[in-house]
Amino acid sequence: MQLRRARRTDASEGVLPSQLMTPRRCTLAALALTIAQLGGCVPEPASVVEIRSAVSELVDQGRAMAIEHALVNLTTNLDPTPSPAALAAAVQASVAAAVPCAEVSAADDTTVLIDFGAGAATCSVGDRSFAGALRVSFSEPTPDGRLATISFVGLNSEGSGLTGTMRVTWGVDETRRVVSEVRLDTPDLRQIEIQSDRIQRTYRGALQIDGWHRWQTLLGRWKMELRGWEQDPTAPVPDRGIADIATPYEHDIILDFTGPRAEGQELRANGGRRDHVFAVAADGEIIDLGDD
């Protein structure tokens, strides 16, 4: 399937240094058309190297999301209508029963402390192991609204570390909105500052997600729009859905998730020329399967 690339323009974004800019090819005809239509020259398509970099960034975003999803499911999978104090008491009891390896206590009437222990991540939460601690505070910003604030420093899981804050609110149709500002420490010693805003719900065992991510690397700023994701919480990338990644090199790369295959979860990437196919193994390894 050939994917069409849509360019976005955001006047609020900063301009990258000239050495990071993608060369633009402008013919006389294009220049004439530019003058006539007050348009601009069309950038070169993204290279395979840049496309693979975008897939690698996606995998690292997935590492952060997997930790966040586990914590959100552990602490906010409940009826949000009771008072903040009642929510805190319910979470304290449910976490203590579900995760006996964790030390669970109340900091005050509306705040729960969860300590998975120090050192290696050996305390299991579902299919993941954790080390470190977090605190969950419940509040009532409006008479009918409830807010859960999840804070953690140096929380470790499956070789990745996460530091930051998530804010969770409940919506209709059993949806939850998760707004986070975190720093991910990856297994290969990268540090990535991430901001995200997602609407999610669990349906028939799959996590359905829509929203956006913004993050900073040494190359510059990245953006990702998530549309129609359906993801097994244990998989590194979704089975279905679209990711539109805006790279620091002023390209949009469209990733179409097409489900499992022998090598891993398949995705088709397009940076403006043709589809390039990848598979992502369960451990996050990226297998390049070439052009379609």
Side-chain angles (χ1 to χ4, degrees):
M1 177 180 66
Q2 191 75 17
L3 297 176
R4 298 181 61 189
R5 180 172 66 98
R7 286 296 309 150
R8 294 195 304 268
T9 301
D10 187 347
S12 67
E13 293 297 312
V15 178
L16 293 171
S18 60
Q19 62 267 32
L20 295 182
M21 296 286 283
T22 300
R24 297 175 182 267
R25 181 185 301 161
C26 297
T27 64
L28 291 177
L31 181 59
L33 185 62
T34 297
I35 296 173
Q37 298 182 347
L38 299 178
C41 298
V42 178
E44 291 283 353
S47 68
V48 173
V49 172
E50 185 179 355
I51 291 173
R52 184 183 174 91
S53 294
V55 175
S56 180
E57 293 291 334
L58 168 77
V59 170
D60 279 336
Q61 294 299 302
R63 298 183 199 278
M65 291 173 67
I67 299 174
E68 292 177 336
H69 293 157
L71 299 181
V72 167
N73 188 59
L74 178 67
T75 61
T76 68
N77 190 17
L78 43 73
D79 175 7
T81 55
S83 68
L87 291 174
V91 167
Q92 182 178 354
S94 65
V95 174
V99 191
C101 55
E103 182 179 333
V104 186
S105 59
D108 54 45
D109 288 346
T110 59
T111 302
V112 179
L113 303 179
I114 304 171
D115 190 344
F116 298 115
T122 57
C123 190
S124 295
V125 178
D127 295 318
R128 301 188 66 86
S129 58
F130 283 88
L134 65 140
R135 60 185 291 141
V136 187
S137 297
F138 293 92
S139 59
E140 187 178 14
T142 65
D144 296 324
R146 300 292 185 270
L147 169 67
T149 302
I150 307 171
S151 305
F152 39 89
V153 177
L155 190 71
N156 295 299
S157 178
E158 310 293 334
S160 297
L162 207 64
T163 296
T165 301
M166 295 187 294
R167 294 176 176 84
V168 182
T169 52
W170 290 261
V172 298
D173 298 329
E174 298 183 348
T175 60
R176 279 170 282 183
R177 182 182 181 187
V178 181
V179 179
S180 67
E181 294 187 11
V182 299
R183 188 195 74 211
L184 174 69
D185 295 281
T186 70
D188 58 357
L189 304 181
R190 298 180 70 209
Q191 288 190 339
I192 307 171
E193 302 288 341
I194 305 170
Q195 295 177 316
S196 65
D197 189 342
R198 304 186 300 268
I199 301 294
Q200 62 187 55
R201 70 167 183 160
T202 301
Y203 180 70
R204 293 183 177 179
L207 195 62
Q208 298 182 335
I209 310 169
D210 291 273
W212 57 259
H213 278 219
R214 307 287 186 266
W215 68 99
Q216 183 78 29
T217 70
L218 293 177
L219 297 177
R221 298 181 66 185
W222 300 73
K223 299 179 182 180
M224 179 171 67
E225 304 294 330
L226 299 69
R227 301 195 297 271
W229 280 27
E230 290 189 10
Q231 182 165 3
D232 182 325
T234 64
V237 296
D239 284 338
R240 298 180 182 177
I242 298 290
D244 184 352
I245 297 180
T247 77
Y249 303 103
E250 297 191 333
H251 285 127
D252 279 343
I253 296 174
I254 309 298
L255 306 180
D256 182 11
F257 305 102
T258 51
R261 56 182 292 161
E263 298 88 347
Q265 299 292 106
E266 182 182 283
L267 62 89
R268 307 170 74 86
N270 191 292
R273 181 178 286 111
R274 63 177 63 88
D275 285 2
H276 200 88
V277 184
F278 297 88
V280 181
D283 62 356
E285 178 188 2
I286 299 170
I287 301 99
D288 190 333
L289 301 174
D291 287 343
D292 184 23

